């Protein structure tokens, strides 16, 4: 990897530096970049938050968080360099005049400024106003925005417009952390560096695709926030659609942001609309009830701390998505995601078509089709299920389904799995937007998601209950069984 050269000194300004995301993800990611020598020696990290703290207190908080959230043992030299970069600025982020204090704190000169908005999106506009008020907006600066960008198409436009008053699209980095995951990035390599898959990646060879993103955690103390969103806005509109678009897009001409984003956008735009005419047939919403996880009793969604006991918010969604284009016509993409499922387990399974004729019927009646499984997390890897002859002298050929298994931990046993935020932060510093979501794509994703959310609203039905620790409501099984298929579990 290239080190960033001395021209790339930056001021990384984290708004909401004492928040959960910053403490758990951003600061540990920056520490890892420091350890890899990927941060310019003149760069500084400016933590901005509402609370009064001295810089030494801020450093102590960061140190405690690194101890808690960096998995490896901290290196004393790296830590000393890292802590040296830290600066703290107390700020009322809604008060434009207060940004003059920030201006006094920021370095003058040629540093590129990276403004990381790790705050609720409702104040992105205020932050932009403040930066503009204090003359802190330059063409070379970058803005990093966390999801959720709005809770529907209209509100996402409002947020995007607020930021666009001062920053151009090529300065805006919209994060979807799934795009920084090694296994998600590997989809590009799998598809476009292996002719075996490049030439068999369409309706002629593929029967259907399943994408499962299951989590065993529940709501983890953020009931109020989650209840406003639900699993459709929290996971499908962004993470699952990102995976789907990488799987379904046409080959980009190269790895540039323009090429990749243009192809992903076309894929999302080609999704067949789901509305009240087909909502029941194409989707299932669920909500977890009391149940057991790893042998322990866990409360249902409505019995969680702080819950509103009549909430109809979904914690599980299954969708039969279809893509209306030449490549994918007739190939369903079954999406499934939920909280309080039996395990944290995310994978894509590409089911190839069956053989048209079985010449091994004497020993094997029903030849199973090949399956390509991409294990996103944990136990990252790629696995291809195929038929093989069982060695032996018997005149009749005995055959068996076996798998070729490329496990990342076994194959790359010395490599640390890089966290998604580390990769994405590095790309921001390098000014590469290819792993960030364009405004057009966010809007196309909302258009599709809104139609589903509105159709659910119009039916006024409560989500189907499922026991915590199960794979979702029974109707999720029926969704796929209606097509004579079943979820891989
Ligand atoms: C976040 C969602 O974007 O992604 C959370 O808001 C979810 O609800 C999380 O738990 C899952 O991320 P990961 O990386 O743990 O799969």
């Amino acid at each position: 990897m290239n080190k960033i050269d001395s021209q790339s000194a930056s001021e990384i300004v984290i708004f909401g530096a004492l928040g959960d995301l910053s403490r758990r993800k951003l600061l540990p990611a920056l520490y890892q970049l420091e350890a890899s020598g990927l941060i310019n020696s003149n760069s500084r990290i400016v933590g901005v938050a509402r609370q009064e703290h001295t810089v030494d207190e801020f450093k102590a908080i960061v140190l405690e968080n690194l101890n808690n959230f960096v998995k490896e043992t901290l290196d004393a030299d790296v830590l000393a360099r890292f802590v040296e970069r830290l600066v703290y600025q107390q700020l009322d982020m809604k008060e434009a005049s207060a940004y003059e204090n920030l201006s006094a704190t920021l370095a003058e000169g040629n540093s590129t400024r990276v403004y990381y908005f790790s705050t609720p999106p409702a104040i992105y506009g205020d932050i932009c106003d403040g930066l503009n008020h204090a003359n802190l907006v330059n063409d070379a600066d970058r803005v990093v925005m966390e999801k959720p960008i709005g809770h529907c198409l209209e509100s996402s436009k409002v947020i995007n417009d607020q930021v666009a008053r001062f920053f151009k699209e090529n300065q805006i980095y919209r994060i979807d952390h799934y795009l920084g995951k090694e296994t998600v990035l590997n989809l590009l390599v799998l598809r476009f560096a292996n002719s075996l898959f490049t030439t068999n990646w369409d309706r002629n060879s593929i029967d259907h695709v399943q994408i499962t993103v299951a989590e065993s955690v529940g709501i983890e103390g953020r009931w109020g926030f989650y209840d406003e969103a639900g699993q459709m806005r929290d996971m499908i509109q962004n993470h699952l659609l990102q995976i789907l678009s990488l799987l379904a897009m046409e080959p980009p001409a190269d790895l540039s942001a323009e090429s990749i984003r243009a192809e992903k956008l076309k894929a999302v735009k080609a999704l067949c609309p789901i509305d009240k005419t087909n909502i029941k047939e194409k989707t299932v919403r669920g909500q977890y009830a009391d149940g057991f996880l790893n042998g322990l009793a866990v409360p249902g969604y409505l019995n969680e701390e702080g819950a509103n006991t009549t909430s109809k918010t979904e914690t599980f969604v299954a969708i039969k998505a279809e893509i209306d284009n030449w490549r994918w016509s007739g190939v369903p993409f079954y999406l499934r995601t939920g909280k309080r499922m039996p395990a944290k387990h995310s994978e894509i399974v590409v089911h190839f078509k069956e053989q048209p004729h079985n010449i091994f019927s004497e020993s094997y009646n029903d030849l199973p089709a090949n399956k390509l499984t991409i294990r996103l997390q944990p136990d990252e890897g790629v696995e291809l299920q195929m038929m093989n002859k069982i060695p032996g002298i018997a005149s009749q050929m005995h055959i068996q389904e076996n798998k070729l298994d490329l496990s990342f931990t076994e194959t790359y046993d010395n490599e640390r799995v890089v966290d998604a935020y580390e990769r994405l932060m590095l790309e921001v510093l390098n000014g590469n937007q290819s792993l960030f979501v364009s405004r057009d794509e966010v809007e196309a994703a909302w258009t599709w998601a809104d139609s589903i959310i509105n159709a659910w609203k119009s039916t006024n039905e409560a989500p189907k209950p499922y026991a915590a620790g199960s794979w979702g409501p029974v109707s999720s099984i029926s969704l796929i069984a209606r097509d004579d298929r079943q979820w891989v579990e």
Side-chain angles (χ1 to χ4, degrees), residues 6 58 122 206 221 281 313 317 350 392 483:
S6 54
F58 178 59
I206 293 179
E281 177 200 330
T313 297
V317 177
V350 179
D483 297 338

Side-chain angles (χ1 to χ4, degrees), residues 147 177-178 181 213 215 217 222 225-226 234-235 238-239 339 344 377:
K147 78 174 246 288
H177 78 275
Y178 269 56
K181 288 185 188 274
V213 177
E215 291 182 275
V217 292
R222 43 177 204 148
F225 159 79
Y226 185 86
D234 190 44
M235 297 293 289
N238 34 74
H239 305 324
K339 307 279 187 224
K344 183 162 180 74
Q377 61 188 27

Side-chain angles (χ1 to χ4, degrees), residues 228-443:
E228 292 285 305
Q231 198 70 354
M232 184 72 194
R233 294 185 176 98
D234 190 44
M235 297 293 289
I236 300 255
Q237 187 272 344
N238 34 74
H239 305 324
L240 276 90
L241 283 192
Q242 286 303 322
I243 297 173
L244 182 142
S245 64
L246 286 173
L247 284 172
M249 70 182 185
E250 292 300 311
D254 51 38
L255 285 178
S256 68
E258 297 73 41
S259 305
I260 292 185
R261 288 164 144 209
E263 296 307 339
K264 277 167 65 206
L265 175 64
K266 280 188 233 162
V268 177
K269 282 193 158 171
L271 279 166
C272 299
I274 297 177
D275 54 26
K276 53 185 179 190
T277 61
N278 54 3
I279 190 81
K280 292 207 169 143
E281 177 200 330
K282 307 278 185 196
T283 72
V284 172
R285 299 168 82 212
Q287 188 186 68
Y288 63 86
D290 295 350
F292 288 88
L293 236 148
N294 302 324
L296 293 178
V298 291
Y301 181 70
L302 301 182
N303 295 328
E304 295 274 14
E305 206 186 316
N308 155 0
T309 53
T310 56
S311 167
K312 286 185 180 169
T313 297
E314 77 284 349
T315 61
F316 172 97
V317 177
I319 299 183
K320 177 181 176 183
E322 285 153 301
I323 299 176
D324 220 357
N325 65 17
W326 284 82
R327 186 183 286 272
W328 295 116
S329 177
V331 181
F333 285 68
Y334 298 97
L335 315 179
R336 173 174 67 151
T337 178
K339 307 279 187 224
R340 283 287 188 232
M341 295 181 72
K344 183 162 180 74
H345 171 88
S346 304
E347 69 176 21
I348 301 162
V349 186
V350 179
H351 292 248
F352 288 89
K353 289 204 158 150
E354 285 176 4
Q355 289 290 42
H357 173 63
N358 181 7
I359 60 171
F360 303 101
S361 53
E362 277 190 14
S363 61
Y364 213 106
N365 238 339
D366 243 345
L367 272 188
N370 295 127
K371 277 200 296 271
L372 175 71
T373 303
I374 300 152
R375 297 192 301 267
L376 299 177
Q377 61 188 27
D379 186 21
E380 290 84 351
V382 180
E383 164 184 317
L384 182 62
Q385 261 170 329
M386 48 196 291
M387 298 306 293
N388 210 33
K389 178 180 179 305
I390 304 172
I393 192 70
S395 58
Q396 204 181 43
M397 278 228 236
H398 288 294
I399 63 176
Q400 191 176 45
E401 191 177 22
N402 292 123
K403 56 189 177 198
L404 294 177
D405 192 353
L406 194 161
S407 149
F408 283 18
T409 31
E410 279 168 27
T411 312
Y412 309 106
D413 57 353
N414 289 325
E415 291 292 327
R416 183 175 63 85
V417 177
V418 173
D419 185 74
Y421 277 94
E422 215 176 310
R423 150 83 46 207
L424 295 176
M425 199 61 114
L426 180 65
E427 300 303 338
V428 174
L429 292 174
N430 282 335
N432 175 12
Q433 285 187 304
S434 58
L435 302 183
F436 299 85
V437 189
S438 68
R439 176 170 180 162
D440 289 342
E441 193 179 344
V442 169
E443 295 189 355

Side-chain angles (χ1 to χ4, degrees), residues 128 145 158-169 172 174 439:
C128 292
M145 289 177 11
V158 170
I159 294 171
N160 279 319
D161 284 345
Q162 283 171 340
V163 178
R165 284 175 301 157
F166 308 114
F167 296 96
K168 298 189 203 71
E169 182 65 16
I172 302 174
R174 294 180 193 81
R439 176 170 180 162

